[in-house]
């Protein structure tokens, strides 16, 4: 889950098959890379078709795109860039088209530039969050966020990076789930604390924005927590201890600890812990 601190932009998950058909009609450079046969497979599929059939067609087209040679990729991006610059003189480019031109400046001749057309372009305001299931593609593009991640044994990269890439592994492991991600706005626990609950058990995140002279309490929960102080300074108290905290501090709180927080100036902090629904399930 990524919780936006500032305005935040990301590519996240695959667009719907209907949207992808529009992309193939509007972006001839993609058809040149994947080939007419692959493009026609997408154009002939129906959203009402069996889910696994739709995913299979998407998997094949995306794998073909990502596996293109460097020469084919560079040529296609060059054509795309030239066409968009010409068309920008007579029409307003879409947000995705503008994004692609920005990405090309940062990562010239990178297959991630073209693959952006396959993914949802998500914009978050401060305090909004998006979540991803395992094996779903994403790229953080702009802004600052708090990211909380379940235990993982790998990070597989395939584009928009100078780091090691493993395209075949990435393409084989993705779920190919389609649709725009749900945006979480959180719900208030108190006047100063907002909770974000993704639909899986591993974690939840609390956002606490404490103004000058204010105080609040994090109720005791059955599991442990990690606190991250992002802005300001203040005091955090349990029944047996009191700590002065400041920007950059990371603190561990054991299970069943009520935490009181106060500040004489201003304090922004975040708590990550096991999703509270997990403990409700255990009680049942």
């Amino acid at each position: 889950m990524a919780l936006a601190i500032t305005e935040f932009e990301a590519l996240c998950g695959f667009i719907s098959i209907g949207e992808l058909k529009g992309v193939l009609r509007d972006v001839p450079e993609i058809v040149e890379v994947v080939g007419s046969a692959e493009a026609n497979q997408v154009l002939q599929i129906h959203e009402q078709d069996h889910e696994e059939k739709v995913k299979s067609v998407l998997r094949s087209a995306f794998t073909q795109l990502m596996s293109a040679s460097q020469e084919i990729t560079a040529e296609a991006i060059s054509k795309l860039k030239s066409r968009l610059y010409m068309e920008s003189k007579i029409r307003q480019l879409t947000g995705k088209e503008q994004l692609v031109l920005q990405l090309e400046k940062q990562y010239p001749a990178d297959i991630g530039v073209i693959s952006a057309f396959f993914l949802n372009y998500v914009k978050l305001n401060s305090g909004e969050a998006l979540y991803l299931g395992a094996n779903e593609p994403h790229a953080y593009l702009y802004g600052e966020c708090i990211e909380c991640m379940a235990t993982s044994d790998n990070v597989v990269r395939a584009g928009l990076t100078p780091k090691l890439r493993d395209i075949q592994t990435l393409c084989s492991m993705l779920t190919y789930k389609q649709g725009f991600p749900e945006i979480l706005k959180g719900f208030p626990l108190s006047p100063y604390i907002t909770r974000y609950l993704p639909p899986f058990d591993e974690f939840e995140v609390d956002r606490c924005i404490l103004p000058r002279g204010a105080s609040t309490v994090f109720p005791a929960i059955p599991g442990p927590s990690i606190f991250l102080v992002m802005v300001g300074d203040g005091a955090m108290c349990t029944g047996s201890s009191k700590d002065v905290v400041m920007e950059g501090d990371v603190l561990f709180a054991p299970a069943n600890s009520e935490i009181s927080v106060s500040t004489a100036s201003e304090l922004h902090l975040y708590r990550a812990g096991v999703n509270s629904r997990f403990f409700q399930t255990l009680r049942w």
Side-chain angles (χ1 to χ4, degrees):
M1 184 168 68
L3 170 53
I5 298 175
T6 64
E7 291 186 351
F8 189 76
E9 298 180 7
L11 294 169
C12 175
F14 288 101
I15 59 177
S16 70
I17 205 72
E19 292 173 291
L20 184 56
K21 289 181 180 182
V23 166
L24 294 179
R25 296 186 187 104
D26 296 339
V27 188
E29 296 82 7
I30 291 180
V31 178
E32 291 179 19
V33 175
V34 303
S36 297
E38 289 287 353
N40 287 335
Q41 288 288 324
V42 174
L43 294 172
Q44 292 168 10
I45 202 78
H46 299 287
E47 294 194 36
Q48 296 79 16
D49 287 339
H50 191 276
E51 182 181 2
E52 288 308 312
K53 181 180 179 182
V54 175
K55 287 184 177 181
S56 177
V57 169
L58 175 57
R59 179 186 297 109
S60 180
F62 186 71
T63 301
Q64 187 74 11
L65 177 75
M66 298 300 293
S67 303
S69 69
Q70 185 61 47
E71 293 74 20
I72 291 175
T73 300
E75 181 180 359
I77 291 175
S78 178
K79 288 181 179 180
L80 174 64
K81 178 181 175 182
S82 298
R83 178 176 64 81
L84 291 180
Y85 275 131
M86 291 295 294
E87 293 185 8
S88 69
K89 298 176 181 179
I90 57 174
R91 68 174 177 90
Q92 178 69 38
L93 297 182
T94 67
K96 182 68 75 67
E97 289 171 333
Q98 294 176 43
L99 171 65
V100 162
L101 290 178
Q102 293 172 6
L103 294 177
E104 191 278 332
K105 290 180 180 178
Q106 292 178 272
Y107 301 98
D110 190 307
I111 192 60
V113 173
I114 297 183
S115 66
F117 282 109
F118 277 63
L119 306 177
N120 296 293
Y121 182 23
V122 183
K123 296 183 178 182
L124 301 180
N125 296 314
S126 175
E128 294 180 333
L130 63 84
Y131 63 86
L132 287 153
N135 300 328
E136 293 182 19
H138 65 284
Y140 298 156
L141 304 173
Y142 171 83
E144 298 177 1
C145 75
I146 293 292
E147 184 182 46
C148 189
M149 191 165 116
T151 302
S152 172
D153 62 358
N154 64 4
V155 175
V156 182
R157 303 178 182 89
L160 304 180
T161 178
K163 298 179 181 179
L164 179 68
R165 306 178 186 207
D166 191 343
I167 289 172
Q168 293 308 311
T169 296
L170 181 103
C171 290
S172 67
M173 68 190 284
L174 295 176
T175 64
Y176 294 96
K177 177 183 175 183
Q178 297 131 55
F180 199 82
E182 180 183 356
I183 306 303
L184 300 179
K185 297 183 181 296
F187 60 90
L189 286 185
S190 72
Y192 305 122
I193 301 175
T194 303
R195 174 161 293 174
Y196 300 82
L197 278 176
F200 34 77
D201 291 342
E202 282 83 353
F203 60 79
E204 64 188 18
V205 174
D206 292 341
R207 174 180 184 251
C208 177
I209 307 297
L210 210 56
R212 179 189 299 271
S215 62
T216 193
V217 175
F218 287 87
I221 57 174
S225 300
I226 295 175
F227 287 85
L228 171 62
V229 182
M230 285 296 297
V231 173
D233 56 66
M236 296 181 68
C237 307
T238 65
S240 58
S241 66
K242 178 177 181 179
D243 291 297
V244 175
V245 296
M246 61 187 65
E247 180 179 324
D249 284 350
V250 178
L251 302 98
F252 175 84
N256 303 310
S257 299
E258 182 180 270
I259 310 291
S260 300
V261 184
S262 61
T263 179
S265 55
E266 182 182 22
L267 191 63
H268 297 186
L269 59 84
Y270 296 81
R271 182 196 73 87
V274 178
N275 194 308
S276 53
R277 282 196 297 260
F278 174 75
F279 300 109
Q280 293 168 3
T281 302
L282 285 180
R283 284 200 294 271
W284 286 105

